[in-house]
Amino acid sequence: MEQLKAKIRKEGRVLPGNILLVDQFLNQQVDTELLLDMAEFWYERFKDKKITKVMTIEASGIAIAVFVASRFGVPLLFAKKYSSTNVTRESHEVNIYSYTKQVSYNVAISKRLLTSDDTVLIIDDFLANGQALKGLLDLCRSAGASVAGVGIAIEKAFQNGREAVKDFDVDISSLAIVEALDAETGEIRFSGDEVKGEERA
Ligand code: G4P
């Protein structure tokens, strides 16, 4: 999606450790016009799937998912993070280890709110090593809910997020696919960009 890629090029910053900072328009301050365009893109992509709920995980996915849920005219459901295991039996629960943040946390969703009657569109800001997405897919599996697709704003293709969820065989629609980040030069290379100096056959 060109609007998102242009915004990342203009306002994204590359930090050491292969981290892309997008707090100026996505993660902390939010560009609502851009989010409307992103929601429209996913609506066109998944509008025939009879989505009953848009689902995400606390925290940064929520802003994006609100716009998407609004466009589909369905509720937004977000999985809640817990630092301990004291969730009730009324919740589906999963443990997630984040390679990016090197922390482990529990995530829960109420059994009342996600059921086998649901067809879900999962939305998140980043796909890195994929553990957050895998956790959401596990929660849907526990609930017996169908997953119609996954919308990701920024996929870091050089990490193994897709591989981590390949057993779920789910349709992933990423709006900006980052092939490489360079913290020294600040370069952000997207899938489809020409590599400088590359010889073409
Ligand atoms: P992981 O397995 O390495 O943990 O990767 P995953 O795809 O599950 O992403 C884990 C978390 O790390 C996500 O946050 C994601 O937004 C964040 N993340 C990964 N790479 C980047 C990056 O390059 N830039 C930024 N800004 N964030 C990144 P989360 O667990 O959903 O938590 P929250 O930050 O939304 O609270």
Side-chain angles (χ1 to χ4, degrees):
M1 187 201 181
E2 289 310 318
Q3 300 100 301
L4 178 60
K5 288 203 268 183
K7 194 77 171 172
I8 296 170
R9 280 202 180 93
K10 191 161 170 246
E11 295 180 10
R13 281 174 48 211
V14 183
L15 301 184
N18 276 325
I19 294 294
L20 178 60
L21 197 67
V22 289
D23 60 352
Q24 210 166 323
F25 58 94
L26 203 62
N27 276 163
Q28 190 168 155
Q29 178 167 271
V30 168
D31 180 334
T32 55
E33 286 300 315
L34 177 65
L35 265 55
L36 278 171
D37 288 343
M38 289 163 56
E40 192 59 36
F41 185 98
W42 283 316
Y43 180 72
E44 283 304 318
R45 179 78 147 71
F46 294 110
K47 66 183 174 194
D48 300 328
K49 299 287 184 185
K50 298 190 168 63
I51 306 291
T52 63
K53 278 173 195 169
V54 169
M55 186 178 172
T56 191
I57 182 168
E58 288 184 317
S60 321
I62 294 177
I64 306 170
V66 165
F67 283 83
V68 181
S70 170
R71 184 64 187 89
F72 277 85
V74 301
L76 160 67
L77 186 60
F78 57 90
K80 303 194 80 163
K81 289 180 180 170
Y82 290 83
S83 53
S84 65
T85 50
N86 61 343
V87 283
T88 67
R89 268 179 296 163
E90 282 91 56
S91 294
H92 295 291
E93 190 198 343
V94 71
N95 184 265
I96 294 174
Y97 176 75
S98 168
Y99 293 104
T100 303
K101 298 182 178 172
Q102 300 196 356
V103 289
S104 172
Y105 53 93
N106 294 304
V107 166
I109 208 143
S110 166
K111 288 181 181 172
R112 280 184 300 113
L113 301 177
L114 185 65
T115 73
S116 55
D117 292 335
D118 283 312
T119 301
V120 169
L121 174 61
I122 294 176
I123 296 290
D124 211 352
D125 56 347
F126 275 91
L127 178 60
N129 292 289
Q131 296 307 300
L133 177 56
K134 184 170 175 301
L136 290 174
L137 290 164
D138 279 333
L139 287 174
C140 289
R141 189 174 270 178
S142 301
S146 306
V147 179
V150 176
I152 297 290
I154 304 171
E155 176 175 346
K156 293 159 83 183
F158 54 88
Q159 296 181 326
N160 66 352
R162 271 189 195 252
E163 182 68 17
V165 298
K166 76 170 187 320
D167 290 348
F168 290 87
D169 196 24
V170 70
D171 181 6
I172 301 178
S173 167
S174 300
L175 303 186
I177 301 182
V178 176
E179 293 286 350
L181 295 171
D182 188 329
E184 266 179 38
T185 62
E187 193 197 349
I188 301 164
R189 183 155 54 81
F190 293 101
S191 164
D193 286 353
E194 260 182 64
V195 180
K196 265 188 216 143
E198 190 181 75
E199 292 288 334
R200 293 209 165 265

